[in-house]
Structure formats: C-alpha cells, structure tokens
Amino acid sequence: MTSILPPQEDAATILVKVQDELRHLRDQIANNSNCDITTIQNAIINTEKAVQGRAEEFLTAQQNRVLTLPNIGHPPLAPLDSVRPKISKIKNFENLHYSISKGPGQLAKEHYEQRMIHAPLHQPDNPVSRDVIQEKYGVYKPREKQVLPAIMPPKPHLGPTVKGGAALPRQNRLDPRLTPPAITERDAKRGILSLCERGLIPPAAELTLEPSPIKQQQLFLHNPGDYIVLEKIADAQELELTMAGVRLDSSVTDGPKSVVHQKRLTTNSAKSQASTIKMINTPFTQSSLAQPVGPPQSPSAYIKQSLKFTIQQGRTVTDSPDFDNFRRECGKKWHYVVPCLQELELILTKYAIPLAIVEGDKLICLADDFKMDLRPKSKELVRCCSNDNYIFELMRKPGQIYKGVNGPDLAAAKVQATYKMHLERQAYLSYRKRKQAAGVIAMNYVMRLKLISIRTKIKNAKLKHLKHFKQRKKALSISWNTLKERRRVHIHIPSLGYSEHIRNSLKDLSVLQNSQMGRICEVNDPNVDVIYISPIDLDEDIKQYYTKLLTMGVSAQGEAIKLAEKKVTFVVPEYVTGFPGVSLSLSTLLLYSSKTMKRLQGLIAGRDAVLIPGVISDADLQLSDELNIPILGTEPKLIEAFSSKSGAKRLFIEAGAKIPPSQFDIYSEDQIFEYLSILIANNLTVKRWIFKIDNEFDARGTAYCDLIKHLSCYKWARRQAQHYGEKWSKRWAQEPTISKIYSELPEILHNHLIVINDALYPSIETYLSAFTKSGGVIEAWPNAGDITCITVDMLIDPTGSVEIKNTGDQIRATEFQTWALSSPQTSINPNRLHMDCFSIAKCAYKKGITGYVSAAFVTFIDEKSLKQDLWAIDLKIQYTDTMCMANILQFTTGGKFDEGCGVYKIPEFKVLPEPISRHKSPKIRPPPNHRYAILAPRLLHSNLSLVHYSVFFQMCRAHLIGYDLREREGSVFTLLDSYKRDLIGMLTIEPELAGALKSFARNLSTIHQEISSANMPGTNNFLGLISESEEILQSLGVNTEEDEETTSGTSKEKSE
C-alpha cells in the first residue's frame, strides 16, 4: 500500500499517548484532592490540539489510500478496526471540540489528483497521468513491445551494370582456325568470364590460375573428446550450476534423479552427455520446476565464456555479463534480434517455462534469416535454446499452456469454446442428419419421378412399336400371296430374345445364336435374297466354306443354282463385342450399331423386305420400326404365353390334341404335392413323372422321379383301386389314397428327384424354388419300352395356311436332351401326325400366332389297348435349329417334304454334274427319288478346338467323309464359331434311313478317334449319339425282319 502523503505517525499511537496523558491526569486528581484547575485545562487544551492536528492528516490518508489484494503466500492482515483504539473509552470525549473541515485549496488539490488518477482510463498515453500514478501508487508503465521500422528492400538497378566490350570479329567466328585478336590489359581487367563470353577465349580452353587460389595443406582434425570439460566440483553447492554456468538461487535437493530425462539425454552426443551430468540433479529436472525461482547470478569463472544467456519465468535476465556479451556480439544486428527475443519471451511466458538457456549464436542466425521475411515459427525459436528438448516436453504436456500468465483466461475461453463447439456440433450433426435425410428423400423422389417418366416413355414406345407391328402384319397378310411371287429380301437375324436371367445362364450365347447359319440356304427360292445378321465375327475360313456350300445348291427343277453366293450378304454389327460380360440379344446389339443400321437401310432401300427373327422380343419390334419392314412372326406377349409349358398345354387342349396326364400352372410346393397325389391316384400304372419349368427350353428345366419305387403305400393303393372297380374314378373313393400319398411325397421328392441339368440347378431345393417361382408342369411319362419323340417344324404364313417343313424322330445322347433328328420321321403314320399338327397350327393362328412353329410329340404302344398312341408334349414359337438344317437338306438336294406320304422327295437332274472324285466312277443306276437325313445342329467335342478347320476337312477327306453332288448323298458340315471351334453341325444324307444312321455313326466314330485319345477323351456328346444310333439300327433290323415275315405270310395266303 502506497500513499501520496509523506509517512506520518500512526493514529493508534496518537490515541495511546492521549490515553496515557488522561490516565496520568486521573491519578493526579485521585492522589491529590487539591488539584489545580489550570493544570487540568492546560492538559485538555494540549490534547485537543494534538488530536485535532493529527485527525485531519489521518482522514486524508484514509480517503486517498489505494487498497490492493494481499499476496497469496501470506496470511491476510488484521483489519484496521482491530488495531484502532476505542475512542469511546476516553472520558469526557464529548467535551473535546476540534474542527476537521478542509480548506478550498486542499479540496482543489485533491480534485486535481483524483482527475489525474482516473485520466489513464480515458487517456492511457498521457505522460502526466502515468507520472502521477507512478509517484502516488508506485505502478510503473508496462514495457511496450518494440516495433521495428519496416525495412524497404533496395530498388533494383535497371540497365547494365558492366560496360560491354567488343565481341570476337566475324572472321574469327566463321573460321575458328584464324588467329584470335590480342587481349589487351583493359580486356584482362574485366575478368576471365568476360573474355569467355566475348569469345576471346575459346570455350574448350583449359584455364589455370597462377598462382592458384586454392592452397592444399593437411587438415588438422580435433580430438572428439577435446570439448569443454568441467572441473571436478568439490562440494554440493556447485551442483547448482546449469549448462550456461549460472548458479541458481534454489537449494540443492537430495531427491531422486529424473529417469525420463536421463534416458533421453543419454542419446545425445559426447558434449551433451558431459553437460547432462550437471543438469540431471538440478531442480529443473524435478517436478518442482513449476515453482518460481530467483534471478540467476553471474556465470562461473571456470566455464568458458560463451553467448549463452538465460530467460527465467519468461523474462530475459538482462543484468548478467552473459547477456552483455551477447548484446555486444550482436552489434548492428541488435535491432533484428530484439523482435525474435521478444517472440521467444512470449512463447516461454505463454507456456510457463521456468528456465530457458538461449544460445545467442543460433538466435543471431535466426534473426539474419528472418530480417527480410516473415516472423519465425515457434519451433525455430525454441530450437535456439540449449534445453529445447525439455522445453518441447513441457509445451507438449497437457494443460501446460494454462499455467502461464493468462492461463485462467485461456482455460475459461477454452472451456467456453469447447462447450460452444459441443453445442454447435450437436446442432450441426442434427442439421446434417436432417439435411441428408431431406436430400435422400428429395433424390429418391426425383429418381422416382424420372423412373416413372422413363417407364412411361418406354411403355408408350413399346405400345407404339406394337401398334405399328400389327399394322404391318395386317398389310403383310393381305399382300403375302403376291409378295411370294415378287423379288424380295429376307433379313435373317437369329436372335434369342429370352428374358435376362435365362440369357445370363446361357454359355456362349453368340455361338448358340450362330447355330442357325443354315438360314442362308433360303436362296434356293429364285425370288429371295438373304441378308444374314451374324452374331460373331466371321473369319475368312468360314466365309470361304459357306461360299463353297452355296455353289452346291440344286433347285426344285433339278438344276444347279447359279450365283447363289451373290444373293447372300453377311452383316456383322460393330458392337457385337462391344459389351463384354453382358448377355445381350443380337437384336439389341444391332439397335446399338448405328453404322450397321444405316447399311441395312441402304441394302433394302426400294425393295420388298421381311424380317425373320429367332425368339421375338421387344427389340425386334423396335428394329422392325426402325427399318420400316414387317416381321414374319408373333408378338412377344403371345410367344411368352403359349411357348411356356403351361401355355402349350392349354393350346393343345383347345386344339383337341391328346396330351399326357398332367397338371399345369403350378406355383407352390403344396400344389406340387397335392396335384401329384391326385395324378398318381388317377394313374396308378404310370411309373415315371416329369417336372418341367414353364420358361425353360431344351430340357434345361426338366426333372423326373420314379415314384412307384419309393411309395410304400403303392400296393395298398392298387388294392383299393381293384376294390372300388369302376367307382375308382370318383373323388370320394380316392380320398384316403390321396392323403397317404400326399404324406409321403415331400420326403420322396426331396430325396429321389433327378434334375437333368444339374449344372444349372445343383440341388433339388434350387430346382423346386425355380419351379415354384416361374411355374411349371407335371406330366406322365409312358410306360412302354419303345418310346419315340417326334419334332415337327411348320410355317404358319400371315394368311393362315400351314406348311409342314420338316419332321423327324429325335435322337438323344442323354435322357430328355435331343441332339439330332432322323428326317423324315418313320415312327407313326404321317397322316395321323399331320392331322394333329394342322389342328394345333389352326388353333394357334386363331390366337394370333404366325411364323415358324415347332411342335414336339411322343409316340408309344399303349399296354392296355396295344395300339400306338400319340401325345403332344411341347411347343416352340420360333425359328429352330432343326429348321435350319432342313433348309440345308432342301438346298443341297433340291427336294421338298411331301406332306401326304411323309417322304422327302428330290427331283431328277436335268443335267448331271461332273464327278468330283477321279477315283470314284458314277453309278449306272439312277438314284431313288427320296432321301433320309440325320440332322445334328450341335455336335459338341472339346477336342475340336485343338484342330483348325483346314486340318479338320483334310482329315474328313482322308476318311472319305464328304458330299457327292451327282448322287446327292453324303455329309455336310456347318461351322458355328471361328474361335473356340468346339461346336459344329453335321447333316448326313442317304437314300435309306439305315444307311443315313450308319454314315452318321461312322462319321462320329472316325472324328472322335482322330481328335481324341485314351488319356484325353474330352467333353463330348459323340459317344452317346453313336450308342443311340446303334440301338435304332438294331430296332430297324428287327422291324425289317418282322415286316418281311408279315409280307411272306401274306403272299402265301394269297397263293393258297
């Protein structure tokens, strides 16, 4: 506490004196009753004057004093009232009259002083106010940070700084062999660089300076141990020396050494290790560093003088010789060093670093680097200290920044900022979550609208294409009879427009589509030109082969077809291989190929054209719309409805064709068990039941189960049927049997159902799941020993007339999978077969089905009636592979299928072609007017990929496998792929069915032996077809013997 008045006697002392005088006066009165009144009055007057004089000074001091907070480390002082004497104890105090009023001058002085005291609040830079505060309260003006004047960079000197000299003469520059001009003393003074630049010294000249500016001498290497070695310290007081050689005020403690600092400091160099011995035991390595320490004293006398100085508690110790040495060393650089030193003090103050030993030389170098640049960074400033590791450790210590001068304020600001950040973070997260949700909702809504819009556009486009398709179909039906007589173009596109999941499950889709290369043989009609859209890139070998095949054509009049190869155009879309890994139909790829579309439009411009697809889809309707030509086919919805297994059953029933006992449109396992139980109860003699998935084809979705072997109640059911007799057809009679069968079926089917295509459906559960998802059919399989499946290919033209193009008995390499046909069929009376085909075709035409249709039948001898029965089992509304092979048969023989007698008849040659083989003489007898053929559109053998087509045909030629043009018999191949080459087609033509089967089996056996070995048989269907052909030959032999016996018996009866 300070005061503006001079130090005065304490008021308590004055009152004590007054009290002593009054006590002394009281004692005198008590001892002497005759007290002098004059003496009493004099004592009272003296007391009054003393109290009055001191009271004014006391009140003035009390009003003008400045109270400050006491030190934290000292106990609070007693209040002033506790030491103030009790004035009420003084007797006769009421009689003491004195004045304590102030004069006008004193009041003016106090008012001026108060105004000067409060002036810094409004004018902090007023020097008078600062002097008054310093004089009265002892508060000095804080040290201001020195602001260095901005140093402007020197202006660049424009223009040349060195006068140029004369360059090398032109003659010397053109001819270096000439003698260069002499070098004058003036030129030599400009330096060697000037002479080289001017060309007076050649660039390749070797220059040597005499005398050499580099002197070579031996370098003196200092011993690494010759550093500043501290002398041995005699007593413990000298252990307080720091690395800078200063003595600390704090006493040395005998506490344990800091293990952390010891481990860290042991990794330093030898010089640091020598100094670390002094630092480890100092108080700065202990936890007591947080306590303030006194100012350091002068450096030790036995430490070598250096530029190190100390900063203690954030303030530089300026009254030490080390700092004076450092300041003298700075010299003119001092005004650059001061800002860096101030920044270092601020950093140490901010982090409450108790002691920092600054290396002056590093600080000077740092100041030199940043005198023309930005302010240095904190790390660079701290690295100027010898104990920078210790400082960095403290700075990285959590909460160290809050131990500084402004620590509480920083802590409060940090707490507030963290709490505000938490609130804002929570608000932001909530806002972001709502925003994201709103964005997702908005995006989904927009996508939903776009999806609805796109779906609407696609739906409208499909309706538009369908409308145009119907209009063109109607116009085609009107002009079909006249169109057949005119020159026209058939655009064949063998596209398989199945659903996406079926296309994805097909292996080598492009090769399967290209298995219909036989479409090009439609050029046997003189009015037809063919444009074949190929799903694969055709190499030169395939093109040459089919060009050669087209030269073998025979017309219906028995004449050779000339220039047939010029009537065929092969077109390959440019995007055939543009979508790898995606199974797209050929029609879709053609729509994406704009160049091919333009080419097609140019090829059919001004000509009548008809589009003949494979499995028609919406892409074919769009393609028809783009080319503006009609389609010879049916709309996709009708194909999807009646090409399925259930749809075919409905069409067969409506057409009056006989079908096997069956149930269709099954979509759950309960329906499977229920319908199958009813079928078994109604047909107890059926041993095998067939399961077919609606949308599959070629036995891909077929499975079967021999239920009689596994039904434990089968014998009991037979007895029940015998018991009820004719009443067994009633539902009430079958109800107990159906219940028992239903209870056994789930376990039997899940254990004994056999799936044909186990690669597509690896388990029974997978098959049943696909069956119930797509729907399916359950039908009976005949019990007869000799069962033959028949395929009939028909054309329903737009006018409704039906033409049977081909019939054939199926040859199966595996069960329920057809790989070849023997054409024409010989298993049943053709009239009966044709009658069912015509009825099915007429019913299909009523439903709106036109184009190419293929129906499948099964024929057998019924055990009860012993008559041949015929069931319709399948229907395909598409251009089939067997139809393509029939086109090749018709093209190479010039024949045509006779619907009346069911025989394939060929015309006689008007001009016989010359024999191709020189070793084989032509037959003398005329060939018969009918032919039998084995049609195999897909022969699979993995070893075929190892043989090139040229080698393959040489092998066939060596084994006399070929086609005879004169006899119109032999073998013809179809090449499907130019890359893998594991699939081929083969057509074997002979006058007799047995001869065709023998040639077919011999060809397969020869090819298999040539391309296979015992160690590498390969994956193939050759062996199965060979064994099936041999069985058919055996059955043909038995039937021939029976026919001969029957014929001989009949002739004997007639002779008798």
Side-chain angles (χ1 to χ4, degrees), residues 350-634:
K350 181 179 179 181
Y351 287 95
I353 306 300
L355 180 65
I357 302 172
V358 184
E359 295 186 4
D361 50 356
K362 293 184 180 180
L363 190 62
I364 293 172
C365 294
L366 185 65
D368 287 340
D369 294 338
F370 286 91
K371 63 183 179 181
M372 297 296 292
D373 205 343
L374 301 175
R375 56 191 298 178
K377 298 180 181 179
S378 300
K379 291 184 178 180
E380 295 173 346
L381 290 170
V382 174
R383 288 195 182 99
C384 294
C385 300
S386 299
N387 57 341
D388 55 346
N389 293 332
Y390 169 69
I391 295 174
F392 280 130
E393 185 178 352
L394 281 183
M395 291 174 67
R396 289 191 296 266
K397 186 178 180 181
Q400 183 66 26
I401 194 173
Y402 306 117
K403 295 181 181 180
V405 178
N406 299 325
D409 297 338
L410 292 176
K414 182 66 176 179
V415 171
Q416 292 179 358
T418 304
Y419 183 69
K420 289 181 180 179
M421 180 196 69
H422 174 71
L423 294 179
E424 294 295 332
R425 177 68 176 171
Q426 294 298 324
Y428 168 72
L429 291 177
S430 178
Y431 166 74
R432 187 179 68 176
K433 186 176 181 181
R434 295 195 302 271
K435 183 179 179 180
Q436 290 177 350
V440 171
I441 294 173
M443 185 60 67
N444 288 339
Y445 181 71
V446 172
M447 294 300 295
R448 180 67 178 173
L449 292 179
K450 290 185 177 180
L451 186 61
I452 292 174
S453 176
I454 292 174
R455 285 178 176 174
T456 304
K457 291 180 180 179
I458 294 175
K459 183 178 179 180
N460 294 335
K462 288 182 178 180
L463 292 176
K464 177 183 176 182
H465 299 327
L466 182 60
K467 180 181 177 181
H468 293 168
F469 165 77
K470 291 181 178 179
Q471 292 175 355
R472 295 190 187 95
K473 182 179 179 181
K474 185 176 180 181
L476 182 64
S477 63
I478 295 174
S479 61
W480 178 254
N481 292 327
T482 58
L483 182 64
K484 290 191 298 183
E485 304 297 329
R486 297 200 305 264
R487 191 70 179 268
R488 62 190 183 275
V489 179
H490 286 183
I491 301 178
H492 284 275
I493 175 168
S495 174
L496 297 180
Y498 295 116
S499 58
E500 183 178 359
H501 77 279
I502 293 180
R503 293 199 310 269
N504 293 334
S505 63
L506 291 174
K507 185 180 179 181
D508 297 331
L509 178 63
S510 60
V511 179
L512 294 179
Q513 293 178 133
N514 200 45
S515 61
Q516 297 186 0
M517 285 287 288
R519 289 172 178 245
I520 62 176
C521 292
E522 284 192 2
V523 294
N524 60 349
D525 189 341
N527 295 325
V528 174
D529 293 342
V530 174
I531 298 177
Y532 181 78
I533 312 297
S534 175
I536 63 172
D537 291 328
L538 300 177
D539 59 0
E540 292 299 325
D541 292 340
I542 294 181
K543 289 183 179 180
Q544 291 178 4
Y545 175 78
Y546 282 106
T547 302
K548 182 67 175 178
L549 178 64
L550 291 173
T551 60
M552 299 165 53
V554 180
S555 65
Q557 292 77 24
E559 298 178 353
I561 300 176
K562 298 180 180 180
L563 302 178
E565 65 275 9
K566 294 185 178 180
K567 299 174 62 177
V568 177
T569 303
F570 292 99
V571 177
V572 180
E574 64 264 24
Y575 282 111
V576 162
T577 58
F579 301 92
V582 181
S583 299
L584 296 178
S585 65
L586 182 59
S587 301
T588 305
L589 294 175
L590 182 58
L591 288 172
Y592 290 152
S593 305
S594 57
K595 294 181 180 179
T596 308
M597 290 292 294
K598 291 181 180 179
R599 183 186 176 190
L600 285 177
Q601 291 173 355
L603 290 173
I604 64 175
R607 306 172 66 183
D608 294 330
V610 179
L611 183 64
I612 304 177
V615 180
I616 301 179
S617 62
D618 294 328
D620 296 286
L621 301 185
Q622 184 179 355
L623 181 62
S624 171
D625 225 8
E626 294 287 341
L627 298 176
N628 194 19
I629 57 176
I631 296 179
L632 183 60
T634 311

Side-chain angles (χ1 to χ4, degrees), residues 208-216:
T208 305
L209 299 179
E210 289 293 339
S212 176
I214 301 176
K215 296 182 179 181
Q216 298 181 359

Side-chain angles (χ1 to χ4, degrees), residues 8-16 54 58 62 83-85:
Q8 300 291 340
E9 196 173 2
D10 194 1
T13 306
I14 298 172
L15 294 177
V16 170
R54 301 300 181 189
F58 174 73
Q62 290 293 331
V83 298
R84 185 177 297 169

